[in-house]
Amino acid sequence: MCGIVGLYLKDPAQASQLGALFEPMLLAMGDRGPDSAGWGVYGDEVPDGMLKLTLQSEDPSTPWDELMDAFRRDLDGDVDWFRNATAVVIKTRAEEAAVRAWLATNAPAISLMSVGSSIEILKGVGHPRLVADRFSLNQMRGSHIIGHTRMATESAVNMEGSHPFSTGLDLCLVHNGSLSNHNRLRRQLEHEGMSFETDNDSEVAAAYLTWRLRQGETLTQALEAALDDLDGFYTFTIGTRDGFAVLRDPIACKPAVMAETASYVAMASEYRALARLPGISQARVWEPEPGRVYVWEHAQQGVEETGT
Amino acid sequence: MSSFSLAEGSVRELNASLHAGGGQVGDNEWLITEPDGRHALACGLNEPMEVVIDGNAGYYCAGKNQHANVTINGTVGVGVAENMMSGRVRVRGNASQSAGATGHGGLLIIDGDASARCGISMKGIDIVVGGSVGHMSAFMGQAGRLVVCGDAGESLGDSLYEARLYVRGDVKSLGSDCVEKPMRDEHRAELRELLDQAGYDAQPDEFKRYGSARRLYNMHVDNARLDGGGGNE
């Protein structure tokens, strides 16, 4: 099973409501995915030349203060950071590669969840209610957010196997379904220099998109290529810096429903997740077509649709 | 008229109330509010009754319906009116996949669009869709009529038996063994009747009829190739 939800606010004045509007969506999908939950939230953007990184440690005794003092000493004297439960968000002028190398040496048990100017990925094992409470989801601000509730089928229940998966700067992926060619695809991507932390099929989809985007393709091109190269069942939602995209496999094995009003675009595995949104009874509600790439972004008015 | 709010009672309580409905004329009308996408609403009805669901419903709404008229003022999830035996189900909005699946009788009307596999394995149900249907609609349809006022997606009527399909718009592709057939007077007459029952004023002459070429009814030895390939293309 698994549940997927996404919410994109058209009106920047609503940014302070994002978490409060989104939390009931995620929790409504708790019975589709009771073992883990997570989300990628976009907001609080850092200026050009800076990066925002989300780190997470499952060890509650992680000495974050000492670690960040060392970060300040070794990498960036002006680093800004804050802690949210088991996660830490860093705003820095240090380069991504330098941070990765530094973490590998100084804090190998800490996971780098997301890198970008706006994205924060927060996720963990446990019922979505507990994960939402842990990170105070209902307090979160931002322009858009995508989330996932997991019922594991392909690999272990742990934080690394939870969604979203980072797919590059300010990009993340959530997946409902299962891929049947992920082992072969993982080996191919390893030859291309991609590395993997889990046996999870969704991580392979994320790495596939990361690899395509590194070749200079647009997100739409990468998703159209995925239609040819990924075999299996999937509904994907992909968070981008400016919005989100939705793609379903050509047979449409996994559900998805969309809703749009003058003030938001929302997607979910089931309508139940949308039922508490304001104005939903007047919203346009429809099912995204299989094999068609849907993209909603700030820069555009309305929907970009491409298909096969 | 009785009313039931799903903000106050459970789906199980609702369905139990509907099943115990009494069946007296004039005393068996129900208004169901705050459905909020819940699954399995108004399932297994077995009396003549009028049920209005005021909002969007989830999966398997009005499944296994017998005798009742159910109207949904909103959209529905997967499998609306699945395995319907008789009665009428009307969806004022869009429907998700497998609408009317395996239905034996009755009339399903979808004023909006239906997505993939509309009328899959239909066994006598009539389905009238005001908008378009998705891929693999009427797959293995055995009996009944599917009327589509808009377009049909890929592989319409794949492996069709004797269900009759009428489409006004474009058909992206026909499934295996599904072919266009001539519209004769009896087809125009039955289509007019179905459109009238749904309250649509579309003209039968605007539709094309599709049905089974009946090439899959019998084993063809030419299909049993030694390399295991082939099939029914």
Side-chain angles (χ1 to χ4, degrees):
Chain A
M1 257 202 179
C2 299
I4 297 180
V5 279
L7 178 64
Y8 164 78
L9 300 177
K10 296 178 181 178
D11 178 7
Q14 285 188 307
S16 63
Q17 298 295 309
L18 185 70
L21 291 169
F22 180 77
E23 187 184 59
M25 297 175 65
L26 189 78
L27 301 191
M29 294 293 94
D31 53 6
R32 290 186 67 92
D35 67 44
S36 327
W39 55 88
V41 58
Y42 295 81
D44 184 26
E45 192 162 303
V46 296
D48 281 349
M50 289 187 74
L51 279 179
K52 183 157 84 170
L53 305 102
T54 317
L55 308 182
Q56 194 165 173
S57 169
E58 287 190 288
D59 177 3
S61 65
T62 301
W64 287 109
D65 288 315
E66 287 173 32
L67 206 62
M68 291 314 300
D69 283 343
F71 190 102
R72 186 169 281 125
R73 186 185 65 233
D74 296 343
L75 288 175
D76 178 5
D78 295 323
V79 65
D80 185 20
W81 67 282
F82 64 88
R83 183 174 173 187
N84 181 355
T86 53
V88 154
V89 176
I90 296 175
K91 299 170 183 175
T92 177
R93 293 195 176 278
E95 299 283 336
E96 179 187 347
V99 175
R100 285 189 186 277
W102 185 87
L103 282 172
T105 307
N106 295 279
I110 286 177
S111 302
L112 180 56
M113 313 300 294
S114 66
V115 183
S117 60
S118 157
I119 190 174
E120 295 170 26
I121 291 179
L122 297 163
K123 62 185 187 181
V125 172
H127 191 275
R129 167 90 263 162
L130 303 176
V131 181
D133 286 348
R134 186 185 312 157
F135 295 113
S136 304
L137 172 59
N138 63 2
Q139 302 296 313
M140 291 196 164
R141 306 164 55 91
S143 55
H144 55 292
I145 182 167
I146 68 170
H148 187 268
T149 60
R150 184 172 188 226
M151 185 181 287
T153 54
E154 294 286 303
S155 60
V157 175
N158 53 30
M159 196 271 286
E160 289 76 14
S162 312
H163 302 224
F165 290 95
S166 172
T167 55
L169 290 179
D170 282 315
L171 287 165
C172 68
L173 170 93
V174 294
H175 172 207
N176 173 202
S178 60
L179 301 179
S180 43
N181 64 339
H182 65 98
N183 285 324
R184 183 176 57 77
L185 201 53
R186 186 184 291 106
R187 284 195 297 276
Q188 286 177 351
L189 289 167
E190 281 169 346
H191 283 299
E192 299 289 344
M194 307 300 295
S195 58
F196 294 87
E197 294 178 9
T198 72
D199 295 326
N200 188 287
D201 58 331
S202 310
E203 187 188 18
V204 175
Y208 175 83
L209 293 179
T210 306
W211 172 65
R212 284 276 179 184
L213 293 164
R214 278 186 195 167
Q215 317 292 309
E217 292 188 2
T218 65
L219 181 62
T220 298
Q221 289 169 330
L223 289 171
E224 285 176 347
L227 284 166
D228 291 330
D229 290 337
L230 301 184
D231 188 17
F233 309 150
Y234 51 86
T235 294
F236 293 129
T237 297
I238 301 97
T240 72
R241 182 173 172 176
D242 297 316
F244 68 72
V246 173
L247 178 67
R248 303 176 75 199
D249 71 72
I251 301 172
C253 292
K254 291 296 175 183
V257 60
M258 307 281 324
E260 183 164 15
T261 70
S263 56
Y264 58 79
V265 176
M267 80 81 59
S269 297
E270 297 177 30
Y271 179 83
R272 287 185 296 149
L274 309 177
R276 297 280 166 258
L277 286 170
I280 190 69
S281 58
Q282 274 76 50
R284 184 168 79 95
V285 175
W286 80 102
E287 182 172 325
E289 287 182 28
R292 180 179 287 266
V293 177
Y294 292 80
V295 181
W296 284 265
E297 294 200 314
H298 292 297
Q300 299 159 261
Q301 298 297 314
V303 186
E304 175 190 333
E305 295 180 18
T306 60
T308 52
Chain B
M1 177 182 287
S2 308
S3 60
F4 190 103
S5 166
L6 283 157
E8 295 165 22
S10 70
V11 172
R12 187 162 292 199
E13 287 164 353
L14 166 69
N15 285 331
S17 301
L18 295 174
H19 295 162
Q24 289 132 22
V25 174
D27 188 31
N28 220 353
E29 296 179 8
W30 288 81
L31 177 67
I32 298 164
T33 57
E34 286 96 20
D36 292 346
R38 289 179 178 84
H39 303 320
L41 300 180
C43 284
L45 304 185
N46 196 20
E47 300 279 351
M49 59 200 301
E50 293 286 337
V51 177
V52 174
I53 298 176
D54 197 26
N56 297 313
Y59 293 5
Y60 310 121
C61 182
K64 299 178 171 58
N65 184 51
Q66 208 152 219
H67 307 302
N69 286 348
V70 180
T71 302
I72 300 99
N73 290 330
T75 63
V76 290
V78 172
V80 63
E82 52 95 21
N83 213 53
M84 177 153 66
M85 304 303 287
S86 63
R88 197 209 67 209
V89 174
R90 177 163 216 141
V91 181
R92 300 274 185 197
N94 297 328
S96 181
Q97 300 188 17
S98 302
T102 75
H104 287 250
L107 175 64
L108 168 63
I109 305 158
I110 297 162
D111 290 326
D113 296 325
S115 66
R117 295 176 266 273
C118 179
I120 183 171
S121 196
M122 52 195 288
K123 295 177 172 68
I125 189 174
D126 291 325
I127 304 173
V128 182
V129 181
S132 298
V133 297
H135 66 260
M136 295 295 276
S137 287
F139 176 56
M140 294 188 83
Q142 290 142 61
R145 285 83 55 95
L146 170 65
V147 179
V148 181
C149 296
D151 302 328
E154 290 172 351
S155 297
L156 175 72
D158 192 284
S159 306
L160 198 64
Y161 292 83
E162 294 301 314
R164 292 196 288 282
L165 318 181
Y166 298 96
V167 181
R168 183 162 66 165
D170 296 329
V171 174
K172 196 161 187 187
S173 64
L174 292 173
S176 181
D177 207 36
C178 181
V179 293
E180 186 180 341
K181 293 185 166 185
M183 281 281 265
R184 297 192 298 269
D185 285 346
E186 74 253 37
H187 303 119
R188 278 186 282 271
E190 77 167 359
L191 182 51
R192 179 73 270 155
E193 192 180 332
L194 288 165
L195 290 165
D196 285 346
Q197 285 178 35
Y200 293 153
D201 56 9
Q203 296 306 311
D205 284 336
E206 299 166 356
F207 288 76
K208 289 178 176 169
R209 179 169 75 101
Y210 303 90
S212 174
R214 303 189 180 97
R215 288 181 303 235
L216 302 181
Y217 276 36
N218 299 297
M219 171 72 180
H220 287 289
V221 73
D222 291 346
N223 290 339
R225 297 210 310 246
L226 289 175
D227 63 6
N232 300 316
E233 291 306 318

